[in-house]
């Protein structure tokens, strides 16, 4: 599941290939995007697939231990909400363990790109940026994730960067691709000055149209490439997180041996993520392996 400020989408995931195992299903994010209303939408997407197993879910903000700490592009009622427990209850969670693993949306996309996509095999500092309703970020050092970096809220010309350079800003202000690329260039230069990455991976919805703006960005020393998983990266990363949390958490009745890298086998003929306890990104296996 990938919860965004504009849409809520999901699909079963084949964890061996890092691909969606069925066509994704999407509903519009409700407004106001309160926890209860979003949870209802998550259930609608999960029910669409007849799914009854564990679920990985992303959230557009800081997530620690299953609790959402910020809410820049959704209702402020999310702040300090035990969102993993809320979603688990709405999806019929079992006693003794939550079937939902929750993490920051850009962190999820980054994990997927580092395992299966544009960041695969890359060492050093890699920064994955998702341009959509806001700007999400995932920072990796030699394949290890630094969670919840939220670089979209760096100041750019007196504003949160995402207010100037997000995909939504381009649409709302009816910017040309060249105008928007200039703003993205200023933002990347600021991030580069702070972190000196060797690679920027540009994801989110705009990654489908990378040829329209990436060639217009100049003066950045780091290599800049589009995300290979494009806007499906968050869904894949959420499934990866659920599987990793299962391997690290308390054993469940159907759990694989601790530390197993093999994906769980599907129930009712569908590919599955593994049943998991809620976990934070810290301590996950190296994303670059």
């Amino acid at each position: 599941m990938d919860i965004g400020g504009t849409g809520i989408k999901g699909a079963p995931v084949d964890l061996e290939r890092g691909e969606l195992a069925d066509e994704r299903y999407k509903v519009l994010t409700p407004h106001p995007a309160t926890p209860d209303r979003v949870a209802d939408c998550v259930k609608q997407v999960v029910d669409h697939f007849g799914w009854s197993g564990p679920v990985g879910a992303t959230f557009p903000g800081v997530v620690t231990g299953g609790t959402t700490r910020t809410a820049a592009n959704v209702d402020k009622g999310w702040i300090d909400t035990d969102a993993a427990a809320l979603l688990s209850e709405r999806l019929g969670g079992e006693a003794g363990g939550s079937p939902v693993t929750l993490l920051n949306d850009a962190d999820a996309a980054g994990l997927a790109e580092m395992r299966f996509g544009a960041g695969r095999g890359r060492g050093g500092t890699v920064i994955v940026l998702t341009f959509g309703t806001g700007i999400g970020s995932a920072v990796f050092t030699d394949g290890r994730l630094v969670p919840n970096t939220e670089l979209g809220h760096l100041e750019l010309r007196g504003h949160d960067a995402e207010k100037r350079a997000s995909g939504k800003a381009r649409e709302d202000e009816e910017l040309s691709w060249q105008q928007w690329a200039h703003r993205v260039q200023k933002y990347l230069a600021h991030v580069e000055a702070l972190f000196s990455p060797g690679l920027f991976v540009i994801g989110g919805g705009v990654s489908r149209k990378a040829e329209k703006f990436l060639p217009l960005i100049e003066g950045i020393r780091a290599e800049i490439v589009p995300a290979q998983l494009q806007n499906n990266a968050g869904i894949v990363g959420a499934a990866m997180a659920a599987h990793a949390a299962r391997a690290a958490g308390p054993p469940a009745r159907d759990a694989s041996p601790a530390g197993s890298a093999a994906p769980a086998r599907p129930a009712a003929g569908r590919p599955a993520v593994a049943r998991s306890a809620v976990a934070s990104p810290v301590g996950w296996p190296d994303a670059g392996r």
Side-chain angles (χ1 to χ4, degrees):
M1 291 297 311
D2 191 3
I3 299 170
T6 304
I8 298 170
K9 54 189 180 291
V13 175
D14 182 332
L15 289 173
E16 293 182 349
R17 297 184 298 170
E19 299 176 357
L20 304 191
D22 203 340
E23 184 176 354
R24 73 182 187 185
Y25 182 71
K26 178 179 179 179
V27 298
L28 295 178
T29 302
H31 294 286
T34 62
D36 279 335
R37 295 183 70 185
V38 170
D40 286 340
C41 291
V42 170
K43 186 176 189 308
Q44 180 182 343
V45 175
V46 171
D47 287 348
H48 170 81
F49 295 101
W51 186 258
S52 59
V55 173
T58 77
F59 178 79
V62 172
V63 180
T64 58
T67 297
T68 47
R69 302 298 186 183
T70 63
N73 294 303
V74 290
D75 188 82
K76 301 305 180 186
W78 283 96
I79 297 174
D80 294 332
T81 291
D82 188 346
L86 170 66
L87 294 174
S88 298
E89 180 181 1
R90 196 60 52 90
L91 297 178
E94 297 179 356
S98 168
V100 174
T101 301
L102 191 70
L103 71 160
N104 173 268
D105 55 353
D107 286 350
L111 287 168
E113 285 294 330
M114 293 298 288
R115 175 70 66 83
F116 299 108
R120 185 172 184 176
R122 292 295 295 255
T125 301
V126 176
I127 299 181
V128 180
L129 297 169
T130 58
F131 290 81
T133 306
I135 299 176
S137 62
V139 177
F140 295 85
T141 301
D142 291 331
R144 300 290 295 185
L145 172 67
V146 180
N148 292 312
T149 48
E150 293 289 283
L151 300 183
H153 299 299
L154 289 172
E155 184 178 316
L156 188 64
R157 293 193 174 183
H159 301 279
D160 268 10
E162 66 180 25
K163 302 299 183 185
R164 296 272 305 166
S166 66
K168 184 176 186 298
R170 182 186 68 82
E171 295 174 355
D172 288 350
E173 299 182 41
E174 298 182 347
L175 301 174
S176 69
W177 286 108
Q178 184 170 7
Q179 289 172 319
W180 186 67
H182 179 69
R183 293 190 182 187
V184 173
Q185 177 180 306
K186 293 287 188 183
Y187 172 65
L188 293 180
H190 187 39
V191 175
E192 184 172 58
L194 295 173
F195 293 92
S196 300
L199 176 67
F200 282 115
V201 179
I202 306 301
V206 296
S207 60
R208 297 190 304 271
K209 300 179 180 180
E211 75 284 354
K212 293 182 178 293
F213 67 93
L214 283 189
L216 303 175
I217 295 175
E218 301 176 341
I220 306 299
R221 292 183 178 181
E223 183 182 359
I224 309 172
V225 298
Q228 291 182 10
L229 279 68
Q230 297 185 349
N231 214 21
N232 290 334
I235 296 174
V236 174
M240 289 172 58
H243 178 63
R246 172 192 178 181
R253 288 191 301 270
D254 62 342
S256 299
S260 171
R265 293 303 173 192
R270 290 192 180 275
V273 293
R275 186 167 303 281
S276 61
V278 176
S280 72
V282 178
W284 288 343
D286 286 359
R289 288 181 182 170

